[in-house]
Amino acid sequence: MSTKVVIKQSTYFDSVSLMSLSTKANQIEGVEQAVIAMGTDMNKEVLKNVGLLTPELEAAKTSDLMIVVKAATDELCESALMAIEELFKKKGGSKSATEIKYSTIDSAAASIPEANLAVISVNGAFAAREARKALENDLHVMLFSDNVSIEEEIALKQFAHEKGLLMMGPDCGTAIIGNVALCFGNAVRKGNIGIVGASGTGSQEVSVRIHDFGGGITQLIGTGGRDLSEQVGGIMMLDGIKALEEDEATKVIVLISKPPAPSVQEKVLAQVKSCKKPVVVYFIGGEETAVLEAGGHFAKTSKEAAIKAVVLAGANEDELNKRALNWPLIEEVRAKLTPEQKYVRGLFCGGTLCDEAMYLAMDKYEDVYSNIQKKADYKLKNIHESKAHTFLDMGDDDFTNGKPHPMIDPSTRIARFLEEAKDPSVGVILMDFILGFGSHEDPVGVMLPAIIEAKAQAAKEGRHLEILGYVLGTDLDTPNFDEQVKKLMDAGVTIASSSTNAGLLAREFVAKGE
Amino acid sequence: MSKINELFNGKIHAINVGIEFFKDDIIKQNANASHLDWKPPGGGKPELINALDRLENVAVAEKIAAANKLAVERIINSQPMLVGFDQAINVVPGMTKTTILHAGPPITWDKMCGAMKGAVTGAIVFEGLAKDIEEAEQVAASGAITFSPCHEHNCVGSMAGVTSASMFMHVVKNKTYGNVAYTNLSEQMAKILRMGANDESVIARLNWMRDVLGPMLRDAMKIAGEIDLRLMLAQALHMGDECHNRNNAGTSLLIQALTPYILETEFTKEQKREVFDFVASSDYFSGPTWMAMCKCALDAAHGIENSTIVTTMARNGVEFGIRVSGMAGNTWFTGPAQKVIGPMFAGYKPEDSGLDIGDSAITETYGIGGFAMAAAPAIVALVGGTVEEAIGFSTTMKEITTAENPNVTIPLLDFSGVPTGIDIRQVIQTGILPIINTAIAHKDAGIGMIGAGITYPPMEAFEKALLAVTETISE
C-alpha cells in the first residue's frame, strides 16, 4: 500500500467544490482512499481518523490545499494524482444555453405563443388526454397514436369541430400541412391540389402520383381510418373539405378512403355536391354512380385519382405520361412461369397499397385471401399461412402487436418473404418499399439479401420466381428514389411505376390461358 | 379566416409529444417543432389519470384555480418579520417540559432513525430529564415524553428538528396575516444535536446557547423590534445564496442587522465576543431563520378549501410527508424518505448516509433552496456541477408551480421570481418531483453531517394527496 501527499500552498477551494472533487477522486480506478481538503483542523482530524495524517499534512495551513491518495502501488498513486489534477481543470467552453424543455402541452403552449399544431404519438392509453389538452390550448392536432377508443375519437373530433380546429387521427400516419410533411409523408411539390385522406399510404400514394404527373399539392389532411365509420360520421373529412374549399390556393380536392359507411358516404357526397370546387373521389372498391350523381369525379384506382386531379387542376391530359401497363413485359413473365405457379403473394407495409392490389386481384379472381378482407370467407383464419392469392397488410395490428411497424422494422416481412419464396405454387411476390419522412432509411437495402437468396434458391430448383417491387417515393425524397429502384433492378426485381400498376401487373403475371 | 385556413397559411410550429424523430423531420423541412419532455401522467396509473380527469372538469378546475390563486397570493404577500427570540416553553403552542418536537411527519420513538434518536436522547439529557444518554433512552421509551412534529406546533426544525422546552426559538410574525412561526437556533457546523450528535461538547454548547446566545439575541430583539426577513431573503438571493445550503450572504446580513442591538445589551464584552465568534464559525447561522420565514408564509396559505397547493414538505429520516392547503389541519401524506445524492466530506462513503431528514424542505416549498439554485452558482457542485444544470433545476420547477414570486427574484434568470406554489396536480401530471438540496447526516447516532446533495420526495406522497384531494372536491 502506498500513500502520496501533495500540498498546494495558498490555494483556496470552497468546501462544496472539494466535497465534489473528493467524491470523484474516490471513484478513480485503483484508488483505495483519496482526500482533497483545505488544511483546517477539522480536516486534519478526519485524516487522523483514517490513518492518513503525516507530519507534512500536520504542518499544512488553513489556506493550503491538501491532496492525499492511498492506492496499492506507487504507480497507481501517481496516476491517480494525475487524474485528480485533471479534475481541477475546467471542463472548458461551457455549453450554450440549452433549449428549454417543457413537460406538458399546457406549459409549452403557454410559453410558445407561435405554436399552432401538436403532433402526438404517445401510447394510446394516454393519447386522447394529450390531444384534448392540445385542443384546449387551441392547437390543431395530428394524433399518430393508435388504440384510442372510438368514443374518445368522437369526443375529440366534436370538440375540435366546435373550436374550428383540425383533429387528424387517431391512427393518422400522414399529413402535409403548409408544405410540411408530418409523421409519414413524401417530399411532394407545392401545387393546387388538396387531399383529404382517411388512409395513410393511400394518401401518400396519391400525393406522390400527383407529383409524378407534374402536379403539386396544397394540403394533405389525414383524418384517421375510422373517420368515415358510422359512429364518427366523417366529422374531419367534412371539415377538411370545407377548409380546402375555402383555401384560395386549392383548385381541386381529392378524397381518399376505404369504403365508407353508407350513411357517411351520403353525407360526404352531399358536401361534394355543394362544393364549388371539383372533387375527385377515390373510395377503394367504391361505386361510380353515387359519386357521379353528386357531381364528383369518380376514380377507380389511386393512379386514376391522381390523373383526374392533375387534369382538373390544369394539366393537359394528352401530354401526361400515364405510364401505361407494359403488356410485352407481362407476356414475357407469363412465359417464364410454370402452369402451377398460379398465385400472387403480396407482402405490404402500406395498408392501402395492399387494399388496392387486393381489389384489383378480386376483379379478376375469386380466391383472394387477406388479413384485411371484408368478406368473411376470404379472411385468413391463420395469418401465418397463405392460401391461393394472398395479400397481407403487415402493418395491421395482427402483425404489429408488440412489434414496430414493418416500415420501421422489416424483420417480420423478411421472414414471411423467404417462406413464400419456397412455395412452388407462387408465381409472383409483390412488395412495396415506402420512402420519405418517418420511413426506414434504406427499405430496399434491408430486404435485398433475402431477395437475392430467394432468387438463387428458386433458380437452383429450376423455377422462375417473379418478384415485383413498387417504390413509393418522389425524386425529392430521402433515401434517393433512383438508387432504391436501381438496387432492386440489379437484384432482378421487376419495378412497377405506381401502386395501381403494381396490382395490375401482379394479377396479370399469373393469369393463365388467355 | 377559419383557424384551419390560418394554419394552412401560417408557418408551422409543432409541439411534438412522443416519437422524437417526428420533431427532427419537421425541422428538416424548415418548420419549427418543440419536443416535449413527456412522461405518462401519474406514472401511467389509471386511478391517478382518472383523478386528474375529474379535477379537470371545468367547474372543479375553476374552483381549484380560484383556491390556488388565493393560496399563492397569501404565500407571496406574506411579510414574515423576525420579532424576537425566546425559550420554547414560553412561546411555542402546546409546549410542555416533557415535550420533544421533531422534524417531519409524526413518528414514534421505536421507529426513529439513528440521527433522530441521538438528538432526542441528547435533548433529554440537556433538559435534565435524564443523567446520561443511556438513561435518556429509557426515558424516551417509557412514554414519559410527548413526541410531536414541529410542524404541528407552528415550528420547523433543521435535520432531526429536535426541539425541547428550554431551547431558544426565533419568533417570526407574519405582518400581513398575523400568524407566528418558530424555529430554534443554529448550532453551527460541528458535532451538533440536530445531526444526531449528543456528547458532552454538544450538551455544553446547548447550555451556552440557552444561557448566553439565546438571552442575548432575545434582549437585542427587544431593542430592535422587528427585522423584515423577506426583504433580507431577497437581498441574500441577489448576493448568491439560495438560502437552504448556502447562507453566506444571509448570515452576514442577519448579523449585520443584529449587531448594533447586541452591542446595546447588558452582557459582558467577552460574552458578546463569544457570540460573534460563534456566528462567524459557520455560514449556516441564518439557515434556520429562513426556514421560519418560509414556514410563516406557508402557514398563511394552509387550509384553503379546494386548494391543491403544497404547504409543507418535511422528513423525519424514515418518512417524507407533505401537507396540502385544501386538506386543513395536520393531514399528512407520506412515503419513504429517499437517499440524498451528492458530494461528501472526505473520508465518508454513500453507504454511511442516513435517509433524507429535516423540516428544511420548507424552503423548497416556499420556492428557494433547490428551487432557487440558479441564484447560487457557487454551490452548483451540489446539483451536478455546472451553472447550466443549476439554471435547469430552477426552470424545471416552474413546470410544477403556480406562480413566480415577484418579491424574491433570481438575477441570473432575468430577475424572474422564484417558482412558487407547488401544485400536486402538476407534479402528478408531469412526473416532475420537487428538487430538494439538503445536508446528509450519518446514518448512526452521534456522528453528524457528512455531506450535502440532492434528493426528491417519494412520488407516493403526492399520489396519495391527489387521490384524497379528489375525494374532497365536488363538482
Side-chain angles (χ1 to χ4, degrees), chain A residues 147-164:
Chain A
N147 291 316
V148 173
S149 78
I150 196 146
E151 291 77 20
E152 286 171 326
E153 175 170 352
I154 294 165
L156 288 171
K157 285 186 169 169
Q158 278 169 350
F159 185 38
H161 175 76
E162 282 161 24
K163 296 200 77 171

Side-chain angles (χ1 to χ4, degrees), chain A residues 119 142-145 168-176 181-186 197-201 203-204 220 222-225 407 437-438, chain B residues 22:
Chain A
V119 177
M142 163 86 171
L143 183 51
F144 179 81
S145 317
M168 300 186 278
D171 204 2
C172 178
T174 300
I176 302 175
L182 305 173
C183 301
F184 296 82
N186 300 91
S199 108
T201 47
S203 303
Q204 272 185 276
L220 191 173
T223 66
M407 265 158 92
F437 298 107
Chain B
F22 288 159

Side-chain angles (χ1 to χ4, degrees), chain A residues 113-125:
Chain A
E114 61 275 26
N116 48 15
L117 173 77
V119 177
I120 297 165
S121 54
V122 299
N123 181 299

